[in-house]
Amino acid sequence: MRKVWDIHGGIHPPENKQQSMQHALTSLPLAPELVLPLNQHIGKPAIAIVAEGDTVLKGQLIAKAAGPISANIHAPTSGTVSAIEDRTLPHPSGGSGPCIVISSDGKDTWTKLDACENYQSLDHNTLLEKIRNAGIAGMGGAGFPAAIKLNPRGNLKIDTLILNGTECEPYITADDTLMQTRAQEVVAGAQILAQLLGNPKNVLIGIEDNKPEAIRAINKALSDAENKQFEVVSFATKYPSGGEKQLIQILTGREVPAGKLPADVGVVCQNVGSTVAAYRAVRFGEPLISRITTVVGEALEIQRNIEVPIGTPIGYILEQHGFTAANVSRLIMGGPMMGFALNTADVPVIKTTNCILAPSRVEMPAPPPAQACIRCGMCAEACPASLLPQQLFWYSMAEDLDKLEAHNIADCIECGACSYVCPSNIPLVQFYRASKGAMKQHAIDKEKSDRSRARFEFRQQRVEKAEVEKEAKRAARKVAAEAAKAKLAAKQAADGESPKSDGTADVVAAAIAKAKTQDLSPEVQLAKLERALSSASSRLDRTLARAEEAEGEKKDAILARVKDAELKVSDAKTKLADFQARENG
Ligand code: SF4
Ligand code: SF4
């Protein structure tokens, strides 16, 4: 029997798991309209590749992952894209975001799928690509794209693969149902993940001991598959054992340090739902377009697990379960501990929706008003991440983001165990969620301002460099002018002239320097002088011709210009003759 470790803290809230296990897993008639948010995962929203009016088939890619930390989205049924617009999202903020809306044609016609029977012979990259293309994102609730986890950065050595079948949150039985009904697919999926990770030494399927049927089913599937390497590890039920870091500690005794990933301690952890989705993607080419969801709560006539297409509106699901709005205390997506209240039922099921909870007012009364903290320390005792929740509470109230960071708020898994035990009924976890949101925004703003500062500094450097270069050129010109001036003064001294002191010498020196920089060859100078003579001669000819045609005062004026043109011709001839004389001897 494998040794298991205990985690710090934890609580034992009423499990309330039996209500939804009274009925067998089932499905619903297709909803007339499915709403697919472009962001159902951690990372960047996918990019729509269909347009309004397009017809789509079930399983067809409709939005492409926008980079490595993102996930593809596929049509959950066949029909027509009736809108691409902002709709309310199933998110704690209650905000809206872009969604692709599909009107079902009722035929549920599949697109052509790329099935593969001999997937065991596929290489690492092909397997990974199939999982990536299927748009699988952590179905336990975190929504982290599975392909990223299954390809640890820097080729870190993984010696342990953990399948998370813990499902520790009260009310939720989706994974329990999956393990009971699809145990072979869980095991086949585990084999694919193990193959991807280079067949790690340990493949552990972690299940709490309150799920004996699931434990039995998985053990049977393992023995049917004659798989002796994989191991079901059952351990005492305690909330929140299903947190990734907590489960790793329970099954391996290894602690994932703050700011590090499980792969840094040689472990990869995947939810059992994501594992089955990976199997179906590789074996049958099926993308992630449906999931098992628990529909539970006393405001419903029927409580059970259903397999539901992603995008199905919650309101439609509630209708199919005899929902009485007047009875409900509040509508929750997820469980009572880590879930969040929905302001409207007009939001869809997404890839991470493991539960729709509709408790009655008696079952889950409104929380009593919060009182002042009495520093009892019960929250710290309950915290599975060994944090100091009361300190985090003070810093959250004070909006002291630096202190929150220093007290490792990033390690808070938002399990709500602290809020659950707090005798002052302080909704601690809500403060942490708000603070984490503020820290995220702060980080985005800081990155923006860092980028602006870097741009400004780069510009300053460029301006300074240009200034230095300009100054160097100025200095070089000055040196050249002074050298020319000195040369002229020396020539004048040799010719017996006194140096000019009225500034003319400077002008002459500068002119000489300029001429020097031009430094024309004799051929070029000769060509220039010949051109000047030719142009002066032409001008004289033209002026003479005009003088012949003119009369009276106009003729006199033109004749004056003839005189001027003749002088220019004479001057050009003299210069040319001088030059030729100089050159010839
Ligand atoms: S449990 Fe509540 S009252 Fe007690 S220290 Fe924590 S926050 Fe304060
Ligand atoms: S919500 Fe955060 S601080 Fe509170 S018990 Fe859970 S991990 Fe600890």
Side-chain angles (χ1 to χ4, degrees):
M1 183 126 170
R2 179 171 282 269
K3 175 179 177 190
V4 292
W5 284 257
D6 194 12
I7 52 167
H8 179 268
I11 54 174
H12 294 90
E15 291 176 13
N16 284 314
K17 300 252 188 196
Q18 71 291 346
Q19 296 94 316
S20 56
M21 296 302 274
Q22 308 301 317
H23 297 278
L25 175 65
T26 188
S27 55
L28 304 177
L30 208 52
E33 180 180 89
L34 301 179
V35 180
L36 290 308
L38 293 179
N39 198 358
Q40 307 185 26
H41 44 264
I42 284 180
K44 287 190 184 163
I47 300 162
I49 58 164
V50 287
E52 282 181 26
D54 284 1
T55 52
V56 291
L57 293 174
K58 181 175 180 175
Q60 181 183 325
L61 182 66
I62 55 170
K64 271 191 102 150
I69 311 213
S70 183
N72 286 344
I73 296 172
H74 303 78
T77 189
S78 55
T80 308
V81 176
S82 53
I84 299 178
E85 62 188 15
D86 280 5
R87 293 271 181 112
T88 309
L89 299 175
H91 189 268
S93 66
S96 56
C99 299
I100 298 175
V101 184
I102 296 177
S103 292
S104 159
D105 61 10
K107 296 180 190 152
D108 217 20
T109 314
W110 274 100
T111 185
K112 190 175 175 328
L113 299 179
D114 181 19
C116 179
E117 213 166 320
N118 299 318
Y119 57 86
Q120 292 89 345
S121 60
L122 295 177
D123 63 39
H124 175 275
N125 288 349
T126 311
L127 274 181
L128 199 65
E129 206 50 27
K130 280 177 179 285
I131 292 171
R132 183 177 288 122
N133 288 344
I136 301 168
M139 294 169 74
F144 198 82
I148 303 279
K149 270 193 183 184
L150 294 169
N151 194 27
R153 65 186 155 78
N155 293 327
L156 290 166
K157 176 86 186 119
I158 302 300
D159 65 14
T160 304
L161 165 65
I162 292 178
L163 297 199
N164 191 343
T166 311
E167 200 166 54
C168 57
E169 173 118 14
Y171 284 98
I172 308 177
T173 54
D175 286 347
D176 191 357
T177 303
L178 177 97
M179 289 186 285
Q180 289 186 40
T181 55
R182 293 176 190 167
Q184 291 88 350
E185 294 192 358
V186 173
V187 171
Q191 277 160 344
I192 290 172
L193 303 194
Q195 186 183 333
L196 259 175
L197 294 167
N199 294 309
K201 195 167 70 182
N202 310 304
V203 177
L204 311 175
I205 304 167
I207 311 176
E208 280 187 333
D209 61 5
N210 63 351
K211 300 175 191 65
E213 292 300 325
I215 293 169
R216 235 187 321 275
I218 299 286
N219 272 325
K220 178 161 186 321
L222 285 175
S223 65
D224 289 350
E226 295 179 4
N227 188 319
K228 295 192 174 51
Q229 296 91 47
F230 297 3
E231 192 181 336
V232 173
V233 186
S234 156
F235 51 91
T237 300
K238 177 162 90 169
Y239 180 83
S241 299
E244 190 173 64
K245 290 186 176 180
Q246 286 65 37
L247 183 60
I248 290 169
Q249 194 180 348
I250 290 168
L251 299 190
T252 66
R254 299 177 201 168
E255 281 191 42
V256 182
K260 296 281 180 187
L261 295 171
D264 292 311
V265 296
V267 180
V268 164
C269 192
Q270 275 291 347
N271 164 265
V272 285
S274 310
T275 306
V276 169
Y279 165 71
R280 298 201 68 82
V282 171
R283 171 64 187 86
F284 303 109
E286 279 179 23
L288 178 56
I289 53 169
S290 68
R291 65 157 299 139
I292 296 178
T293 298
T294 305
V295 187
V296 67
E298 286 175 7
L300 302 165
E301 276 171 25
I302 309 168
Q303 306 183 53
R304 61 185 174 184
N305 281 283
I306 53 169
E307 169 129 44
V308 63
I310 307 293
T312 305
I314 303 288
Y316 175 81
I317 295 173
L318 293 175
E319 266 172 36
Q320 311 287 317
H321 289 79
F323 175 62
T324 313
N327 285 356
V328 77
S329 140
R330 53 194 179 276
L331 206 52
I332 296 170
M333 185 171 276
M337 304 298 294
M338 295 184 78
F340 55 90
L342 293 172
N343 296 328
T344 169
D346 198 13
V347 291
V349 164
I350 57 172
K351 292 176 184 177
T352 53
T353 306
N354 52 9
C355 181
I356 300 160
L357 176 56
S360 68
R361 293 174 204 282
V362 178
E363 188 182 10
M364 205 176 283
Q371 309 287 321
C373 171
I374 55 171
R375 294 183 178 271
C376 64
M378 285 170 71
C379 50
E381 275 171 36
C383 179
S386 301
L387 301 176
L388 295 171
Q390 76 275 36
Q391 290 299 120
L392 294 177
F393 170 57
W394 297 123
Y395 297 138
S396 288
M397 297 266 284
E399 297 179 8
D400 190 337
L401 303 186
D402 289 340
K403 284 268 171 43
L404 284 167
E405 195 178 348
H407 281 71
N408 299 319
I409 195 171
D411 282 350
C412 167
I413 58 169
E414 298 174 27
C415 67
C418 51
S419 311
Y420 184 81
V421 298
C422 177
S424 296
N425 302 308
I426 303 171
L428 296 163
V429 72
Q430 289 180 23
F431 283 93
Y432 310 150
R433 276 188 193 141
S435 295
K436 281 184 177 183
M439 287 172 85
K440 207 167 158 191
Q441 192 54 48
H442 179 71
I444 292 169
D445 294 346
K446 185 170 176 304
E447 200 195 322
K448 265 192 208 157
S449 75
D450 285 353
R451 251 190 270 139
S452 308
R453 196 174 50 245
R455 262 204 311 271
F456 174 75
E457 284 170 1
F458 179 69
R459 187 180 168 279
Q460 282 293 100
Q461 280 171 6
R462 220 177 36 191
V463 169
E464 279 165 20
K465 191 176 163 210
E467 207 43 59
V468 168
E469 282 170 1
K470 236 196 253 171
E471 189 50 48
K473 276 186 192 162
R474 233 180 269 139
R477 274 202 304 274
K478 196 174 167 198
V479 168
E482 272 166 8
K485 197 171 153 188
K487 200 171 167 188
L488 181 68
K491 187 171 179 294
Q492 283 171 337
D495 294 349
E497 292 174 24
S498 59
K500 294 175 182 168
S501 56
D502 58 355
T504 316
D506 290 351
V507 175
V508 171
I512 290 170
K514 191 177 173 193
K516 203 169 164 54
T517 57
Q518 290 176 348
D519 207 27
L520 299 177
S521 68
E523 290 78 16
V524 174
Q525 289 184 54
L526 176 63
K528 255 183 113 179
L529 289 167
E530 284 173 344
R531 261 201 319 274
L533 176 59
S534 159
S535 144
S537 302
S538 302
R539 189 163 169 253
L540 176 60
D541 291 345
R542 281 196 309 274
T543 318
L544 281 171
R546 277 210 299 277
E548 265 175 36
E549 288 168 10
E551 289 175 352
E553 282 181 12
K554 197 171 178 191
K555 189 173 179 102
D556 293 341
I558 294 176
L559 283 175
R561 268 190 260 152
V562 167
K563 196 82 200 147
D564 184 46
E566 282 171 347
L567 279 173
K568 285 200 169 134
V569 169
S570 162
D571 185 42
K573 279 182 182 164
T574 309
K575 281 183 180 166
L576 179 60
D578 284 353
F579 175 78
Q580 284 167 333
R582 220 170 32 244
E583 286 299 299
N584 295 332

